[in-house]
Structures are given as structure tokens and as C-alpha cells.
Amino acid sequence: MNYGEIKKCDIANGEGVRVALFVSGCRHHCKGCFNSMTWDFNYGKKFTEETEEEILEALKPSYIDGLSLLGGEPFEPENQEVLVKLLRKVKERYPEKNIWCYSGYLFDEELKKESRARCEYTDEMLSMLDVLVDGRFEEDKKNTQPIRIRKLTPIQMPHVDMDEVRNGRKAFTKEEWMDILLRSTGLEPESFSERAKWLLIARMIPLVENNFNLCELGPRSTGKSYIYEQISPNSILVAGGQTTVANLFYNMSNHTVGLVGMWDCVAFDEVAGIKFKDKDGIQIMKDYMASGSFARGKEEKAAAASMVFVGNINQSVDVLLKTSSLFDPFPPEMGTDTAFLDRMHCYIPGWEIPKFRPEHFTNDYGFITDYLAEFIRELRKEQYGDALDKYFRLGKNLNQRDTIAVRKMVGGMIKLLYPDGEFTKEQLEEILKFALEMRRRVKEQLKKLGGMEFYDVNFSYIDNDTFEEHFVSVPEQGGGKLIPEGMCNPGQVYTVSQGKSGMIGVFRLESQMLPGNGKFERTGLNSDGKCKEAANTAFNYLKANGNRISGAISTTTKDYIINYQDLQGIGMTEKLALPTLIALCSIALGKPTLSSLAVLGEISIAGTMLKVDELANALQVCLDSGAKKVLLPITSAADLGLVPADLIGCFNLVFYQSAEDAVYKALGVE
């Protein structure tokens, strides 16, 4: 193939600044053609590998929008073979740039049907084009004006007067301003609850705050990705699927910065499908999310792009909370990596936002999208993260990452709700509570995945005037405790230990005693042999040692039934001998266990005490489940040095020295 010319800074043949390649050879011979010398296939220079590399190099600058193919005729079969090879390389090296082609062949009649243009390369070439301008040149129509513009009012904002925004904000209440923001994004605020409005506005924080990492998972059709795709031209939505370090961060081969250096916000849709071709991709992402910079080769680059992760939850929140974590939709290499998840500044509970229906969209007035996009971008230059220090300070359970996350979110919400910088103590407190909740949701899930490393989830803030400490919870954790306050019925025992899934959870035993001949039945264990064996160990121990505990216990004239319940759906524990023994003695003697008691530890077939595995984690689960007293083997006392003192201080620890002693202590018998 020959070519006539390469224009490396063309503004006439397609949108933006482009590289234009004029190929040689054209059989149309249109009357009045401005470039008739290129009809000859031999016109110009030979297209070589060096020419190809010249074009690829010319496409490298960030201000170049893409490549345009002209002629001559690019779709002459002789030219297609060479151009397809070029286009492959352009798409591989510059996936973000677009390709235009001008052809005299009609798309529907000649390129998609049998014609002199059709060959083995045609379909592939078409697939790589972003824009095709088709049709032969018609001289008699050259000077016609089918469209006449009488007046043009530009809506693209060249700049925004932020003083105008600030002064304008003063005319509205907080509620009115929230409604304007939502209507500017196309939503009708009157169709949403106050809580939903806050969550919808929180989606905008990555657009006003630099290096803000947000996660939102929830049901389909709640508009999770809409704002990042449609509202701001400074945000890009990456569909879930394979990506590369070169595309996202830095291309070593051509020394160009990836998406994080080009956009204010990079949002990943359908997080379940995120995959890196590079082994170090997730590590580089973690480093960037923590520091706002990344290293490639000998260079370290800084960027300000916020990272957003949205996706669908296919199970109910209750099921996820019981069986895994709220990060379960992420691919395993992300969803179980606590270091990656700890970088999330905010987790929006997408399940609290209703599925969009026609009434959720507005016909009312708001800001023009271009105006909204520009002034929220200007807000990225302002900082309000320290605003809370005037009235409040954060509680001791927030570590450095928690503090950074909360401050960033407070700053982002202030920018959105009070761009004039005027707000009261009460208004700031409202934002602070919201920010603490969004970050605590991340920490609660980290606690489930990472254990005691993330035990400090009880987030709080302290009023600088009254010194009163206020704690903030997350709604989905619920206020109901698995271990109830007050006395239980005789035969009812709660134990905390490791389930089949490896997670530590709460298990309830409920017993019945009937007249009989010494039968022992177990329900709720299905066909699990090890669990049944542990239960049998307890009953056999009672038959052999019952008289040493109490003469009132009979294993020959009574039948016993125990039901075992896995309260959190994590798989039944195998450490059931000691709690079963206590449950049998409790129902046999008609004495309930101590109020709010959790039983820890296990005994062997000979009655030997076994230490508690992961004591600190087990105690944390006891606390979260409502236990106030913990029955603990004396053999585990040495491990208390590994447990935070404030966690130990939450319980009345009751130590036992033998199986019989455990029964006495559990039933409150001195």
C-alpha cells in the first residue's frame, strides 16, 4: 500500500486534534474530487513498518484524540490488508483513543454486502472503527446548507465563578440545596426518604474530593454507576472485566500515564468481574489507594483520581452478614484481602436505596450538567477535613486510616452541602455521624475477615464543650443480641467457638428431659459425625461422673434431647462436649445458667480441659453477641496477655479448673 500524506496535528477530519493518514488508490473517481491524484494506487510513498511506527508515535501525546483514515479510499481491498494491521496496534497501544474513517463505499449497501469492497479483512476493519463517514463526493451538493444555525448558546462552561456559587448557596436551606443537587443529577428528591437523599449525595464525594476511595454494593437498578458515567465529563466508568497496570496507571513502553492520571474519578462497574492481567496489579492499586501515588520502574507518579467500586449483591444482606462479609461480591483476591479493603474510605449501603422507577426521575429544574460538573470540580481544590476539630474530636478506637477516611468524608460532604463554608455545630455533627457510620461499615467487615487486628470498631466522637462521648453504629448490625440479657431457661446454653467455615460464631443448645431409660437424642447436627461424637463424649462423661456432680442427676431413668442451633449460619462447631455437658446438667437439675453467659473451651473424652483457640477473637464475638459473663478454662488465662485490656474489661470472666467445676460455675453453684 502507498500513502500520500500523514498529518500529525489535524483538526479538520474528525473531533479534536488528530493524526490523519491519506492512503493512495481509489476506484470511485468522483467528479470534483479535491484529492484526485490519490486515485493512483502507486501515488506517494510506500507504507512500511517505519511508517507504521511513525503514526503510532504521533498518536502518543495526550492532546491527540485519535486517528483518521482518508484517501484515496481506505476500503479498497488492497488497502484493507495493511490498514487492519495498523488498527490492531492502535487499539492495543491506545485503547482510549478513537478511530475515524472516511469512505466512498456505503456501509449498508457495499461494506456489509457483497461488493468490490468486501474482502476477508472488511468486518475486522469495521469492528475497530469508532466513526465511519460513508458516501461518495457529490459536487452538485458541495455548497448546499441542509442545516442553518440561527443562534448558538454555548452550554459548555469555560469557567465557573465560585463566588457566585457561594453567594447563591446562602439563599437556600440545607434541605432545599440537597433537592437542587439531586434534581441536577436527574432525580426527584420528593420520591426519596431523607436517608436515601444522603446516600445519593454521598455518591458525589469522589467527584469533589481527591483520592477518595468509595465502595457501593447493592441490588440492581439503583443507579450505582449512573453518576460516574453521565454527570461529569471528568469521570470515567470502567466496565468490570480485565484491565492492565498500563491502562490504569502507567504504560512503560510508551511512557504515558493511565486513567488515574487523566481523570478525576475512575469508577469500576460490576466489581465481581475485575481482573488484572498483571500479577502485581492489585498491589499497585493498594499502594495508590493508600498514598495517591504509584511506582513504575524508576519513576514514582502522583495522581488525584478517586477510586470507586460499585457492584451487585445477589443475596440478602442478612445472609451475607451471617455467612461471609459485605465485600463478598468482590473477586476473592480483593474481597478477602484486608489490606486492600482497609483502603476503602466509605461503604455506601446500596440496599437502602430503592430500585429506580419512573417517579424517581425529575422534570423539575436543576443546574445544567456542565455547570454542576465544573463547580464540583472546582471544589476539589478546597479542604474542609479539619472543620470538625472546632467542635469535636474523634474517639480512641479510630486508627490513622479510620481518621483519614472520616476526615475526607466530612470534607466531601461539607463541600457538597455547604460550599459557602457556613454551617452550624449541629449540621457538622450530622455529617460527622454519617461519615463515622460509612467508615465503620468497612471496619465491621474487616473484623469478620481479619479478626483481632480490626477489633476496634466501636467508633465514637467527643464533644469539645461537654466532653460527652457519642458512639455511632451501623444499622445492618442490628441492636438485637444473640445472647439475651437475663436468665435463660434451664437446659439453654450459649457457646462461642469456630464453625465449619473457619469463622468464630455463636451456637445455642436447648435441652429437654423426659421419663425414660437413658436415651440421648441430638437434633440439628444432621449427619456430621464429629459433632455427634463430641455430643456423645459429653453424655458418656455424664454417665461415668454424674454422681460426682450431683446425686440428683439420672442417666438411667431419664431420656435427654438436645437441639443444636448455628445462629449465624457459619457451619456447626465441633467443640460441643463441654457446652453439652453443661446443658445436660442444667436441665437435669432444673437450674439455669448465669445470665448473659457465653461458654468457651472444650473437654476431651477423659474430661481434660482444652485451651480456647484464638482467644481474643472469641472474646470479641462474645462482646458483639451481648455476652456479659464468659466461662473460661484456667488453661487459657496465660493467653489473656494477648487480648486488649479494654476488651477484657467488658466481661466478668469466670475461670474453671475441670469439667465438674465448669458445670458448677456455669450454674452459679459455689
Side-chain angles (χ1 to χ4, degrees):
M1 182 186 81
N2 281 24
Y3 70 98
E5 187 181 4
I6 298 173
K7 291 186 178 180
K8 297 181 180 179
C9 209
D10 188 354
I11 58 171
N13 297 293
E15 289 185 349
V17 184
R18 316 185 62 78
V19 176
L21 170 64
F22 293 80
V23 302
S24 297
C26 178
R27 295 184 174 93
H28 302 309
H29 296 183
C30 301
K31 183 181 178 182
C33 176
F34 79 98
N35 211 12
S36 58
M37 73 282 292
T38 62
W39 294 355
D40 186 352
F41 283 85
N42 295 316
Y43 174 79
K45 303 175 185 176
K46 192 74 176 174
F47 191 92
T48 63
E49 290 184 5
E50 288 74 19
T51 312
E52 185 179 79
E53 191 56 40
E54 181 185 350
I55 291 172
L56 292 170
E57 191 65 21
L59 287 165
K60 184 168 90 174
S62 58
Y63 60 82
I64 297 293
D65 291 279
L67 172 69
S68 294
L69 302 176
L70 307 97
E73 172 55 69
F75 272 98
E76 296 293 4
E78 296 90 333
N79 295 335
Q80 290 185 50
E81 182 176 2
V82 178
L83 290 175
V84 160
K85 294 176 183 177
L86 170 65
L87 298 189
R88 288 173 190 158
K89 293 183 179 180
V90 173
K91 285 292 186 183
E92 181 180 353
R93 191 175 298 185
Y94 307 108
E96 74 282 3
K97 298 184 188 280
N98 56 64
I99 300 172
W100 286 49
C101 181
Y102 292 79
S103 172
Y105 290 108
L106 295 172
F107 176 75
D108 289 327
E109 297 177 18
E110 294 172 294
L111 295 178
K112 296 300 290 181
K113 297 179 180 178
E114 289 301 319
S115 69
R116 73 185 185 198
R118 287 282 300 177
C119 67
E120 57 185 305
Y121 305 105
T122 307
D123 288 334
E124 184 181 1
M125 186 165 162
L126 286 170
S127 72
M128 291 186 283
L129 299 180
D130 296 288
V131 177
L132 173 67
V133 182
D134 66 343
R136 293 166 178 72
F137 175 70
E138 298 181 47
E139 188 178 26
D140 58 336
K141 296 181 180 179
K142 179 171 73 172
N143 296 315
T144 60
Q145 295 180 322
I147 299 174
R148 185 182 297 268
I149 299 174
R150 294 181 179 178
K151 182 181 178 183
L152 179 64
T153 303
I155 62 169
Q156 187 71 42
M157 305 301 299
H159 70 278
V160 172
D161 185 347
M162 290 304 293
D163 288 335
E164 182 184 48
V165 175
R166 295 185 185 96
N167 292 330
R169 168 65 181 89
K170 299 180 193 300
F172 300 90
T173 65
K174 181 201 72 178
E175 289 74 20
E176 290 170 341
W177 183 253
M178 289 177 69
D179 289 355
I180 287 175
L181 286 180
L182 290 173
R183 287 192 176 113
S184 300
T185 65
L187 301 176
E188 177 48 56
E190 292 186 1
S191 63
F192 294 97
S193 67
E194 187 69 13
R195 169 73 169 178
K197 289 182 188 180
W198 275 77
L199 297 174
L200 290 168
I201 287 175
R203 289 175 172 175
M204 302 174 71
I205 296 177
L207 302 176
V208 300
E209 194 71 20
N210 294 327
N211 301 112
F212 186 82
N213 308 318
L214 179 145
C215 170
E216 181 183 350
L217 302 177
R220 291 174 172 80
S221 304
T222 56
K224 294 183 290 294
S225 61
Y226 169 77
I227 197 163
Y228 309 112
E229 185 178 24
Q230 300 292 337
I231 298 303
S232 174
N234 308 307
S235 172
I236 186 170
L237 184 70
V238 180
Q242 280 201 344
T243 187
T244 63
V245 171
N247 183 48
L248 197 57
F249 295 104
Y250 193 75
N251 192 317
M252 296 276 292
S253 62
N254 56 27
H255 305 289
T256 55
V257 176
L259 298 179
V260 298
M262 299 167 58
W263 302 89
D264 290 346
C265 176
V266 179
F268 292 88
D269 196 10
E270 299 297 342
V271 296
I274 298 175
K275 290 182 181 177
F276 274 97
K277 289 183 180 179
D278 319 80
K279 292 182 179 179
D280 58 346
I282 292 176
Q283 185 58 51
I284 294 173
M285 180 179 280
K286 285 195 292 190
D287 293 344
Y288 174 74
M289 291 168 68
S291 65
S293 63
F294 53 91
R296 296 295 287 157
K298 296 180 180 179
E299 297 187 71
E300 184 165 350
K301 302 286 185 180
S306 295
M307 304 288 277
V308 175
F309 302 87
V310 298
N312 299 319
I313 288 179
N314 299 316
Q315 298 171 283
S316 72
V317 173
D318 290 341
V319 170
L320 283 178
L321 287 171
K322 288 180 180 179
T323 59
S324 54
S325 83
L326 293 178
F327 288 112
D328 190 62
F330 277 84
E333 58 270 24
M334 291 180 173
T336 58
D337 186 340
T338 56
F340 169 78
L341 300 175
D342 200 19
R343 270 75 169 172
M344 295 292 181
H345 297 132
C346 166
Y347 189 134
I348 294 177
W351 53 87
E352 294 189 39
I353 297 173
K355 290 192 174 186
F356 286 179
R357 300 185 301 275
E359 62 265 28
H360 289 124
F361 300 98
T362 191
N363 291 317
D364 214 328
Y365 292 105
F367 292 121
I368 295 173
T369 302
D370 293 78
Y371 186 81
L372 175 70
E374 287 303 314
F375 91 67
I376 62 177
R377 190 183 203 197
E378 285 296 310
L379 290 172
R380 296 176 74 88
K381 302 174 183 178
E382 303 180 8
Q383 296 297 325
Y384 287 102
D386 296 334
L388 63 89
D389 295 335
K390 182 178 179 181
Y391 302 110
F392 308 102
R393 68 178 188 270
L394 299 174
K396 64 180 181 179
N397 279 340
L398 280 83
N399 63 26
Q400 181 64 12
R401 280 191 179 153
D402 302 326
T403 300
I404 291 171
V406 171
R407 287 187 180 278
K408 277 180 171 286
M409 193 162 184
V410 167
M413 290 300 288
I414 288 176
K415 292 178 190 181
L416 289 165
L417 299 182
Y418 309 102
D420 56 344
E422 297 184 10
F423 46 86
T424 65
K425 178 181 178 180
E426 289 71 27
Q427 290 169 334
L428 179 60
E429 186 174 17
E430 185 179 30
I431 289 174
L432 178 56
K433 288 179 180 177
F434 185 72
L436 284 165
E437 179 206 324
M438 297 298 123
R439 172 59 186 178
R440 179 171 175 175
R441 183 168 290 106
V442 175
K443 210 60 180 292
E444 287 282 359
Q445 304 313 303
L446 287 172
K447 184 183 72 176
K448 296 181 72 172
L449 295 166
M452 280 311 296
E453 182 183 354
F454 304 100
Y455 81 94
D456 46 357
V457 298
N458 294 309
F459 285 5
S460 63
Y461 64 95
I462 299 162
D463 191 308
N464 288 342
D465 295 327
T466 65
F467 302 104
E468 187 178 357
E469 186 170 16
H470 303 270
F471 288 87
V472 176
S473 61
V474 287
E476 66 270 10
Q477 296 299 124
K481 299 296 186 181
L482 295 175
I483 301 175
E485 292 187 21
M487 290 287 189
C488 296
N489 296 323
Q492 192 172 76
V493 173
Y494 290 88
T495 185
V496 172
S497 56
Q498 192 177 67
K500 280 283 191 294
S501 66
M503 297 173 64
I504 296 174
V506 184
F507 305 88
R508 181 170 64 203
L509 287 69
E510 292 183 309
S511 313
Q512 283 185 295
M513 182 177 67
L514 305 168
N517 54 9
K519 292 181 182 176
F520 177 47
E521 293 185 25
R522 304 136 310 188
T523 62
L525 299 181
N526 299 319
S527 59
D528 194 309
K530 290 187 177 179
C531 293
K532 289 181 176 180
E533 185 180 335
N536 290 338
T537 294
F539 190 66
N540 291 332
Y541 186 88
L542 184 65
K543 287 195 291 187
N545 303 283
N547 288 334
R548 290 167 49 189
I549 298 172
S550 172
I553 298 175
S554 173
T555 55
T556 56
T557 62
K558 304 290 182 182
D559 289 343
Y560 297 89
I561 304 170
I562 297 185
N563 176 252
Y564 298 86
Q565 298 175 51
D566 173 9
L567 296 183
Q568 294 170 294
I570 63 172
M572 184 56 66
T573 181
E574 296 173 2
K575 295 179 172 58
L576 292 173
L578 181 65
T580 299
L581 178 64
I582 295 171
L584 289 168
C585 294
S586 173
I587 193 70
L589 298 173
K591 287 184 68 67
T593 62
L594 298 172
S595 63
S596 305
L597 178 72
V599 175
L600 270 65
E602 181 64 315
I603 58 173
S604 69
I605 194 167
T608 304
M609 292 184 297
L610 305 177
K611 287 177 63 175
V612 179
D613 297 326
E614 300 183 51
L615 179 60
N617 290 333
L619 288 174
Q620 183 63 50
V621 173
C622 290
L623 177 64
D624 296 339
S625 303
K628 293 186 172 56
K629 302 180 184 71
V630 176
L631 192 68
L632 201 63
I634 195 68
T635 51
S636 291
D639 295 338
L640 289 173
L642 304 174
V643 181
D646 55 347
L647 180 57
I648 297 174
C650 295
F651 305 106
N652 177 10
L653 298 180
V654 182
F655 291 98
Y656 60 88
Q657 302 188 38
S658 64
E660 292 89 344
D661 190 36
V663 173
Y664 297 146
K665 297 282 178 65
L667 302 181
V669 179
E670 299 296 331

